[in-house]
Amino acid sequence: MNDITRAAQALRAGELVAFPTETVYGLGADARNPTALAKIFAAKGRPADHPLIVHLPDAAHLAQWAIDIPESAHALAAAFWPGPLTLILKRHPSVPDLVTGGQDTVGVRVPNHPVALALLREFGSGIAAPSANKFGRISPTTAAHVREELGKSGEKNVAMILDGGPCAVGIESTIVDMTSATPRILRPGAISADTLRQRLHVPVHEGYAAQPADHATNSPRVSGSLAAHYAPRTPLQLCALESLPAAIAAALQESQRVAVLAPELSPPLSANQNIIRRVASADFSQYAHDLYATLRELDSAGCDLILVAAPPDNEAWRAVNDRLRRAAAGSGSESNESSEGNEGSK
Ligand code: TXA
Ligand code: MG
């Protein structure tokens, strides 16, 4: 029996399977099975009211998961699936509450990765899958990261980890809420607001930038919208490229070991045994592709501080800047309390 057949059987038996997608690795369960879904929350340490994305084999499955699907959602599905786009739609009454966090909406996407698609076709139904990391931490972009994240507890909770190599995109899907007249981006990703506008010929709101406390508004709860998320344990500081030399000098003066993620500099940084240097790509797709693996590597380098030169502040870099800001906000804590504690802050 091959791995895909075994993995589909494990899902049918109510077990968890970690699998690659083009964005990040997911921790999957049968989206119709509440007992299996509960295992996801236990393995991740994630609050049970945070909704999960349902991954589908193709857009023809939409009608089993959502109702009142607007034409614009069909248009986006046709244009961007399989791909890094999650649509928030009105839930079908049959969707378990653990998937939706008890809300009246459901998030759905068709991932663009041969292993994910083979698994979904073999399973033949929806697979609910958050990123396969502990709640609030850096999302995994390789199978080795998944093993690192879910560690010892993972061994008993996760039946299989399918290895599909490093993820091509490297950051999570764009999430767009299609339940009101004007689509609203809840989480920026590789598919930008401009790309969606061009396809739909209608305005698209960007709701994530100043998303206030979700208990104070009607906005759907998006855990990736917490101020602190995707975070390393080492304190991470974002600084303007111009102030990088001064920030490094200040850190070294406090006799700290510092990790630096910045583009090629001229003059280059002088070699110093207390500086760990990674050159950041000047291309946003490549930067996104490398981001989480680089943060993991720098996090385990035994430094007191990770200094990241802030990338350009424009549309192309929006998703990368979003992840970096949240990584900075949640960094420096051993537990994941800070990410939960920050919930509700902007
Ligand atoms: O790229 C991705 O989206 C990856 C891969 C594995 O597909 N998945 C992922 O899942 O990032 P997760 O659970 O780490 O983040 C999904 C986000 C969460 O912030 C969740 O709150 C939001 O999607 N979400 C899911 N259903 C929702 C809904 N009905 N309304 C609003 N937000 C929703
Ligand atoms: Mg996640």
Side-chain angles (χ1 to χ4, degrees):
M1 198 191 306
N2 71 24
D3 279 354
I4 297 292
T5 317
R6 279 204 302 135
Q9 270 186 7
L11 289 173
R12 278 184 212 109
E15 295 183 73
L16 302 184
V17 173
F19 62 96
T21 80
E22 80 281 35
T23 59
V24 301
Y25 274 70
L27 181 60
D30 177 353
R32 297 270 183 214
N33 180 342
T35 314
L37 293 166
K39 291 182 187 171
I40 290 181
F41 294 91
K44 277 190 61 106
R46 170 160 160 151
D49 56 353
H50 280 255
L52 303 171
I53 294 173
V54 179
H55 297 70
L56 303 176
D58 55 50
H61 282 252
L62 262 180
Q64 295 166 44
W65 299 89
I67 55 170
D68 299 344
I69 304 168
E71 242 343 283
S72 52
H74 285 298
L76 292 183
F80 298 109
W81 284 356
L85 180 71
T86 295
L87 301 177
I88 305 295
L89 299 166
K90 249 198 202 161
R91 79 192 272 187
H92 191 285
S94 66
V95 182
D97 279 342
L98 271 180
V99 166
T100 65
Q103 305 183 57
D104 58 3
T105 55
V106 62
V108 283
R109 87 174 185 104
V110 179
N112 188 15
H113 190 291
V115 174
L117 287 170
L119 178 64
L120 283 160
R121 284 177 192 141
E122 177 72 23
F123 183 61
S125 176
I127 301 177
S131 50
N133 52 281
K134 294 279 185 196
F135 182 64
R137 293 297 177 193
I138 302 169
S139 302
T141 53
T142 67
H145 295 163
V146 178
R147 265 175 243 121
E148 234 170 83
E149 274 298 315
L150 301 173
K152 302 232 159 45
S153 66
E155 281 158 31
K156 60 176 190 303
N157 283 318
V158 182
M160 277 179 86
I161 299 174
L162 294 173
D163 191 342
C167 302
V169 174
I171 56 173
E172 303 79 356
S173 60
T174 304
I175 301 182
V176 55
D177 182 356
M178 302 302 294
T179 60
S180 45
T182 305
R184 175 180 294 274
I185 294 186
L186 301 180
R187 180 176 70 183
I191 296 178
S192 70
D194 275 350
T195 305
L196 296 175
R197 282 183 197 111
Q198 277 158 22
R199 177 61 58 166
L200 292 175
H201 309 291
V202 297
V204 173
H205 289 320
E206 296 177 66
Y208 52 86
Q211 188 150 337
D214 58 354
H215 56 256
T217 69
N218 291 322
S219 42
R221 181 189 289 259
V222 185
S223 64
S225 73
L226 302 186
H229 222 77
Y230 317 111
R233 292 182 166 80
T234 311
L236 184 152
Q237 204 180 302
L238 268 170
C239 73
L241 194 54
E242 311 81 74
S243 30
L244 190 65
I248 295 172
L252 292 177
Q253 225 164 35
E254 290 173 36
S255 63
Q256 291 195 330
R257 267 168 67 80
V258 53
V260 178
L261 175 60
E264 294 282 10
L265 300 172
S266 68
L269 293 180
S270 43
N272 181 315
Q273 61 181 18
N274 286 325
I275 301 179
I276 301 209
R277 174 81 167 100
R278 289 291 173 274
V279 175
S281 175
D283 172 73
F284 63 88
S285 301
Q286 186 64 41
Y287 194 111
H289 174 272
D290 300 341
L291 178 62
Y292 290 150
T294 304
L295 288 183
R296 259 171 210 281
E297 198 190 330
L298 295 180
D299 198 18
S300 55
C303 290
D304 305 289
L305 179 65
I306 301 173
L307 271 176
V308 180
D313 187 14
N314 60 38
E315 165 90 11
W317 287 86
R318 191 144 299 167
V320 160
N321 281 318
D322 168 77
R323 301 311 190 274
L324 283 173
R325 274 196 294 272
R326 295 181 207 287
S331 65
S333 80
E334 264 312 309
S335 73
N336 57 25
E337 274 164 29
S338 76
S339 56
E340 290 176 66
N342 267 292
E343 184 176 346
S345 65
K346 68 177 165 58

